C-alpha cells in the first residue's frame, strides 16, 4: 500500500532555510487534456532520481551538483532524512530491488542495505571524463544493466575537456578491435604556458597531445567508452552488452524483456565538432556497435548535414567498422538531452505500453540565450507511441522555454520520471543551473512534480 505523503506540497529539509524558494506555478505548464500537474515536493538540492519501495516509502538521490554533498534521502514522517552519503559527485540515479538500493555515482555502483550498511559492487568505471555511468536497470533474469558514457564528445580529447589539466592521460577506449585512419587534431597546448606558439596534436582514442599514426589498431576493452554493461546483482561477471553510444544515460526493460536505452548525441564543440546530431531512443540488440564516434542516429557524420557552421566537415575515424550501426527506434531533436524514461502499463493513466521521456535540455556551456537553443527541444516530457513510432509533447511550459528564461513557475530541468503506487506520474526536476554552466546547480531549486488523471478523463 502507498505509504507516501498526501497530495499536499512537501518541503525538503535543508540546513539553510533562509534562502528564497524557487517560484512554482503548475498553471504555467501545458499538459495534454485529461491530466493535471501539481507540485509534490520542492526545496530539493539538484535531485537526480526517485524510487518507491514495496511499502510506498520515497527515496530521492541528491546528485551533489548543487552542494557537492551527494546523498540519499528518505521521507520519514513528512521530512527527508539522509540515509547514506559520502558518494562521488554526481549521483546519476538510484534503483531499488528486494530491499536494496542501488546507487550509481561517478565510477561506482554501490548497494545500500536496509540496515544502513553499504557495499561497492562495481568500481573503476571510466567515468572521469565528460559522461558518467547511468542508473542501473534490472533484467527479468535478475541481472543489473547500466550505461557507461564516453570520455569525450566525439572521440578526440581537446580544449573543450576541462579535466585535461588534472587528468592528462585520460581518453576513450573502444569496445572492439578497430583500425583508425590516423587523423590528428591541432589545438593550442593548454598543458603549457608558453608565450610562443606551442601546438598540441591529438589523435582519436589517445591522450591529449598524443598523435595517431596511420592505421593504428585499438584493442577491445570490456568497460568501453559508450557501452552498455551487465553484471550479476553482486557485481560479479561484468560483461559488455553493446557499445558505440555516446551517452547511454538511461535504460529500461519492457514487460516482454526487451532492453531500450536513450542515447544523447554529439555537440558542436571541441576538436571534432559535429552539428545537428540527434538524441536517440534505441531498441538494443546485443553484440552490436551503435556508431559512435562515426555515426549519429544510424547516419555517418561525414554527411554535409553534420558540418558545423563555419567549420570543417567531420571525417570518419574508424577504417574498419565493426558492423552497420542500427538505426534508432525514434530520433529526438538536437539538444533534447534525454535523461530518463518509463513504460506505462496502467491503462487508467494512458495508452498501454507507451513510453514517457524526460528531456533535460541543452548541456552546451555558454551564457543563457547565447548560442543555445531553448525552443523546439528539451525542458519537457514527451511521449513515444510505441506502435506508430512517433513522438509527441506530453507536458511543457506554455511559453515553450525553461522557467528560468521565461521567469515562469513551470519546468526547468526534468531529469527523471516514474509511476508511483497511486498510479500517478512523478517527474523529478533538477532545478536551476548556474548561468553558463549546466553542470552546477543552485541549491533548493529542485522539484518533484505529480501528474494525475483529472475527473473529466475518468
Amino acid at each position: 500500500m502507498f505509504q507516501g505523503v498526501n497530495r499536499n506540497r512537501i518541503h525538503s529539509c535543508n540546513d539553510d532555510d533562509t534562502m528564497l524558494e524557487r517560484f512554482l506555478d503548475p498553471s504555467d505548464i501545458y499538459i495534454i487534456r485529461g491530466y493535471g500537474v501539481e507540485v509534490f515536493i520542492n526545496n530539493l538540492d539538484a535531485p537526480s532520481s526517485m524510487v518507491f519501495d514495496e511499502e510506498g516509502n520515497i527515496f530521492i538521490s541528491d546528485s551533489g551538483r548543487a552542494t557537492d554533498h551527494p546523498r540519499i534521502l528518505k521521507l520519514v514522517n513528512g521530512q527527508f532524512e539522509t540515509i547514506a552519503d559520502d558518494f562521488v559527485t554526481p549521483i546519476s540515479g538510484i534503483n531499488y530491488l528486494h530491499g536494496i538500493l542501488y546507487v550509481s555515482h561517478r565510477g561506482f555502483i554501490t548497494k545500500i542495505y536496509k540496515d544502513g550498511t553499504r557495499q561497492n559492487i562495481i568500481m573503476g568505471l571510466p567515468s572521469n571524463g565528460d559522461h558518467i555511468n547511468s542508473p542501473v536497470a534490472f533484467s527479468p533474469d535478475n541481472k543489473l544493466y547500466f550505461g557507461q558514457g564516453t570520455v569525450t564528445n566525439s572521440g578526440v580529447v581537446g580544449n573543450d575537456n576541462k579535466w585535461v589539466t588534472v587528468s592528462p592521460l585520460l581518453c576513450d577506449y573502444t569496445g572492439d578491435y578497430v583500425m583508425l585512419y590516423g587523423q590528428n587534431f591541432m589545438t593550442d597546448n593548454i598543458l603549457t604556458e608558453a608565450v610562443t606558439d606551442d601546438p598540441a596534436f591529438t589523435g582519436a582514442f589517445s591522450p591529449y597531445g598524443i598523435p595517431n599514426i596511420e592505421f593504428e589498431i585499438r584493442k577491445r576493452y570490456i568497460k568501453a567508452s559508450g557501452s552498455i554493461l551487465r553484471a550479476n546483482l553482486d557485481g560479479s561477471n561484468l560483461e559488455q552488452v553493446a557499445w558505440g553510444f555516446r551517452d547511454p544515460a538511461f535504460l529500461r526493460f519492457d514487460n516482454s524483456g526487451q532492453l531500450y536505452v536513450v542515447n544523447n548525441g554529439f555537440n558542436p564543440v571541441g576538436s571534432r565538432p559535429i552539428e545537428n546530431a540527434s538524441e536517440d531512443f534505441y531498441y538494443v540488440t546485443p553484440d552490436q556497435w551503435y556508431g559512435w564516434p562515426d555515426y549519429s542516429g544510424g547516419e555517418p557524420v561525414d554527411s554535409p548535414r553534420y558540418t558545423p557552421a563555419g567549420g570543417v566537415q567531420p571525417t570518419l575515424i574508424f577504417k574498419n567498422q565493426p558492423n552497420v550501426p542500427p538505426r534508432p527506434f525514434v530520433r529526438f531533436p538536437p539538444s533534447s538531452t534525454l535523461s530518463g524514461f518509463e513504460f506505462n502499463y496502467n491503462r487508467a493513466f494512458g495508452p498501454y505500453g507507451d513510453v514517457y521521456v524526460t528531456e533535460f535540455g541543452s548541456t552546451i556551456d555558454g551564457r543563457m540565450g547565447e548560442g543555445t537553443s531553448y525552443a523546439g527541444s528539451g525542458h519537457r516530457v514527451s511521449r513515444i507511441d510505441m506502435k506508430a513510432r512517433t513522438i509527441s509533447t506530453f507536458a511543457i511550459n506554455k511559453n515553450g522555454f525553461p522557467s528560468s528564461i521565461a521567469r515562469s513557475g513551470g519546468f526547468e530541468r526534468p531529469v527523471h520520471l516514474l509511476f508511483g503506487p497511486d498510479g500517478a506520474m512523478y517527474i523529478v526536476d533538477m532545478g536551476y543551473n548556474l548561468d553558463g554552466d549546466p553542470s552546477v546547480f543552485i541549491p533548493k531549486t529542485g522539484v518533484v512534480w505529480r501528474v494525475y488523471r483529472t475527473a473529466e478523463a475518468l
Side-chain angles (χ1 to χ4, degrees), residues 183-219:
Q183 309 97 311
N184 292 301
F185 301 81
M186 186 181 73
T187 60
D188 292 332
N189 194 338
I190 59 175
L191 298 183
T192 68
E193 295 184 358
V195 176
T196 58
D197 290 341
D198 183 23
F201 294 89
T202 305
F205 296 91
S206 292
Y208 185 80
I210 304 298
N212 288 160
I213 60 173
E214 192 175 17
F215 306 147
E216 279 191 43
I217 300 293
R218 290 293 183 269
K219 296 181 178 180

Side-chain angles (χ1 to χ4, degrees), residues 112-402:
I112 307 295
Y113 296 90
K114 283 189 174 181
D115 63 3
T117 59
R118 59 194 289 165
Q119 178 187 14
N120 293 328
I121 58 170
I122 296 177
M123 297 172 280
L125 296 172
S127 297
N128 289 323
D130 288 1
H131 307 107
I132 63 173
N133 45 301
S134 80
V136 303
F138 302 111
S139 65
D141 62 347
N142 279 331
K143 297 267 189 179
L144 64 83
Y145 285 64
F146 62 96
Q148 174 59 56
T150 59
V151 169
T152 65
N153 174 53
S154 60
V156 181
V157 182
N159 291 3
D160 59 313
N161 301 121
K162 299 177 181 178
W163 40 262
V164 166
T165 55
V166 294
S167 300
L169 298 181
L170 195 59
C171 65
D172 289 296
Y173 290 88
T174 60
D176 204 345
Y177 290 85
V178 294
M179 180 180 290
L180 310 180
Y181 277 112
Q183 309 97 311
N184 292 301
F185 301 81
M186 186 181 73
T187 60
D188 292 332
N189 194 338
I190 59 175
L191 298 183
T192 68
E193 295 184 358
V195 176
T196 58
D197 290 341
D198 183 23
F201 294 89
T202 305
F205 296 91
S206 292
Y208 185 80
I210 304 298
N212 288 160
I213 60 173
E214 192 175 17
F215 306 147
E216 279 191 43
I217 300 293
R218 290 293 183 269
K219 296 181 178 180
R220 183 176 188 270
Y221 187 62
I222 291 176
K223 293 185 284 188
S225 303
S227 60
I228 294 175
L229 304 171
R230 71 178 167 213
N232 296 328
L233 294 180
D234 62 1
S236 63
N237 193 31
L238 184 68
E239 301 173 296
Q240 184 187 115
V241 177
W243 75 289
F245 304 95
R246 175 178 172 273
D247 181 23
F250 199 85
L251 303 82
R252 275 290 181 267
F253 288 87
D254 68 8
N255 62 359
S256 69
Q258 172 60 47
L259 179 63
Y260 290 82
V261 64
V262 290
N263 178 55
N264 294 306
F266 304 98
N267 285 327
V269 300
S271 295
R272 188 173 176 257
I274 296 172
E275 191 80 69
N276 298 318
S278 61
E279 323 278 38
D280 303 310
F281 179 77
Y282 279 102
Y283 171 113
V284 178
T285 301
D287 302 318
Q288 292 287 295
W289 170 66
Y290 277 76
W292 184 89
D294 280 348
Y295 282 70
S296 171
E299 298 181 23
V301 299
D302 59 355
S303 171
R305 66 175 297 194
Y306 297 114
T307 304
V312 178
Q313 181 172 319
T315 57
L316 303 184
I317 285 175
F318 291 166
K319 181 172 175 57
N320 65 320
Q321 298 170 358
N323 54 264
V324 176
R327 288 185 175 267
F329 190 84
V330 291
R331 300 177 71 174
F332 286 74
S335 295
S336 300
T337 310
L338 311 179
S339 52
F341 67 92
E342 196 61 80
F343 291 88
N344 173 49
Y345 294 120
N346 176 10
R347 296 184 190 278
F349 184 87
Y352 187 86
D354 281 358
V355 173
Y356 294 84
V357 184
T358 49
E359 297 187 29
F360 188 80
S362 176
T363 58
I364 300 174
D365 289 359
R367 293 189 61 80
M368 289 185 176
E370 295 182 4
T372 300
S373 172
Y374 290 101
S377 64
H379 310 280
R380 70 191 70 192
V381 175
S382 295
R383 181 174 70 88
I384 302 173
D385 183 323
M386 295 296 284
K387 294 180 180 178
R389 295 175 72 152
T390 58
I391 303 167
S392 60
T393 297
F394 177 70
I396 189 174
N397 292 342
K398 290 177 179 177
N399 51 48
F401 291 88

Side-chain angles (χ1 to χ4, degrees), residues 4 40-41 44 47-62 71-76 80-84 93-97 99-103 112-114 416 418 428 448:
F40 184 63
I41 304 171
L44 295 166
S48 57
S49 68
M50 170 177 165
V51 293
F52 294 90
D53 67 10
E54 306 93 337
E55 299 174 347
N57 294 308
I58 295 172
F59 299 86
I60 288 179
S61 60
D62 176 344
R71 54 185 178 155
I72 307 302
L73 305 173
K74 179 181 179 181
L75 188 66
V76 179
F80 279 105
E81 297 181 359
T82 299
I83 63 167
I94 53 176
N95 209 343
Y96 179 88
L97 184 68
I100 300 170
L101 283 168
Y102 290 76
V103 183
I112 307 295
Y113 296 90
K114 283 189 174 181
H416 179 236
L418 74 164
V428 179
V448 176

